Amino acid sequence: DIQMTQSPSSLSASVGDRVTITCRASQSIRSYLNWYQQKPGKAPKLLIYAASSLQSGVPSRFSGSGSGTDFTLTISSLQPEDIATYYCQQSYSTLWTFGQGTKVEIK
Amino acid sequence: QLQLQESGPGLVKPSETLSLTCTVSGGSIGSSSNYWGWIRQPPGKGLEWIGSIYYSGTTYYNPSLKSRVTISVDTSKNQLSLRLNSVTAADTAVYYCARVGRSGWTDYFEYWGQGTLVTVSS
């Protein structure tokens, strides 16, 4: 199985801050990496697919980068509505796996 | 707009079988361009991929659940189903169904149901 490791597990930042979340794969997954946002009590929502492609309707302050084993999700200017847990997920293998999640809070 | 809705018992006894249905509206579950998945989330924990089913009927399962899980599609009812045998308390979770989207060479969970909580307890 391909293991996905996110860091940090949680973070606290101020409104307007730039926030970066890292996801590392246990082997190369090329650019088969997706990011999801999950707010409390809600289903996850797709933010980024193919490592850097912004899903339709997602604010442009969200961006993704990386390839191979190392990936990042960046929120350029944190907003109160961005409070959520973020998950990476690989679709390189037919056996998909998620990272353990990164909880983002407002300082 | 595609919509997915999970349904099934909210309480299952240990050692019994968990059975859930996902009803799809706004699109055909049998379309050759579609495939589907189930994901679960134990209370307070992260997401776990359970398995996926292609329009061809080919299935892929999480190795940790493979011996106990079956995913199927009923095109006549436009429904996706999940069966998980011999459940224990560790199977208590919110269960989500999702449609896989595709852009060129890559796939992702594009549409999600709202999720349904299943508790395993006697």
Side-chain angles (χ1 to χ4, degrees):
Chain A
D1 299 5
I2 299 175
Q3 306 302 317
M4 308 299 295
T5 303
Q6 289 182 232
S7 61
S9 296
S10 64
L11 65 89
S12 181
S14 299
V15 172
D17 281 356
R18 183 180 183 88
V19 170
T20 299
I21 298 168
T22 298
C23 178
R24 175 164 290 176
S26 59
Q27 66 180 75
S28 175
I29 56 170
R30 295 168 59 184
S31 294
Y32 288 77
L33 191 282
N34 308 311
W35 289 98
Y36 301 86
Q37 175 193 64
Q38 186 180 33
K39 296 183 177 181
K42 300 294 186 181
K45 170 189 172 183
L46 178 68
L47 294 179
I48 302 281
Y49 62 92
S52 60
S53 295
L54 193 67
Q55 172 68 347
S56 176
V58 173
S60 59
R61 63 180 179 274
F62 291 93
S63 64
S65 65
S67 66
T69 60
D70 294 315
F71 302 86
T72 58
L73 172 70
T74 299
I75 308 173
S76 61
S77 177
L78 186 68
Q79 300 301 303
E81 60 266 32
D82 300 334
I83 298 315
T85 300
Y86 294 83
Y87 294 92
C88 62
Q89 174 252 322
Q90 64 81 19
S91 57
Y92 177 79
S93 163
T94 52
L95 307 180
W96 292 12
T97 46
F98 288 90
Q100 81 277 17
T102 296
K103 187 175 184 179
V104 174
E105 298 176 319
I106 294 287
K107 189 181 294 182
Chain B
Q1 177 77 1
L2 192 73
Q3 292 188 320
L4 295 79
Q5 178 70 58
E6 304 89 348
S7 60
L11 181 64
V12 180
K13 290 182 168 55
S15 80
E16 295 190 345
T17 297
L18 179 159
S19 294
L20 296 176
T21 297
C22 174
T23 301
V24 177
S25 57
S28 172
I29 200 167
S31 167
S32 62
S33 63
N34 288 340
Y35 74 101
W36 310 86
W38 285 96
I39 305 97
R40 71 180 183 178
Q41 185 171 37
K45 297 188 178 181
L47 301 168
E48 179 181 33
W49 173 75
I50 299 172
S52 298
I53 184 166
Y54 288 72
Y55 65 88
S56 63
T58 300
T59 52
Y60 296 95
Y61 298 127
N62 187 320
S64 68
L65 300 170
K66 187 174 183 178
S67 63
R68 299 193 292 130
V69 67
T70 303
I71 294 174
S72 60
V73 165
D74 186 335
T75 55
S76 67
K77 296 181 180 179
N78 227 34
Q79 291 179 336
L80 174 71
S81 295
L82 170 72
R83 287 176 57 87
L84 183 65
N85 301 327
S86 305
V87 298
T88 70
D91 295 310
T92 294
V94 174
Y95 286 76
Y96 296 99
C97 59
R99 195 198 83 170
V100 176
R102 173 165 286 175
S103 178
W105 46 268
T106 191
D107 300 324
Y108 39 84
F109 288 121
E110 184 176 18
Y111 293 97
W112 294 67
Q114 66 185 29
T116 188
L117 174 63
V118 179
T119 301
V120 178
S121 174
S122 55

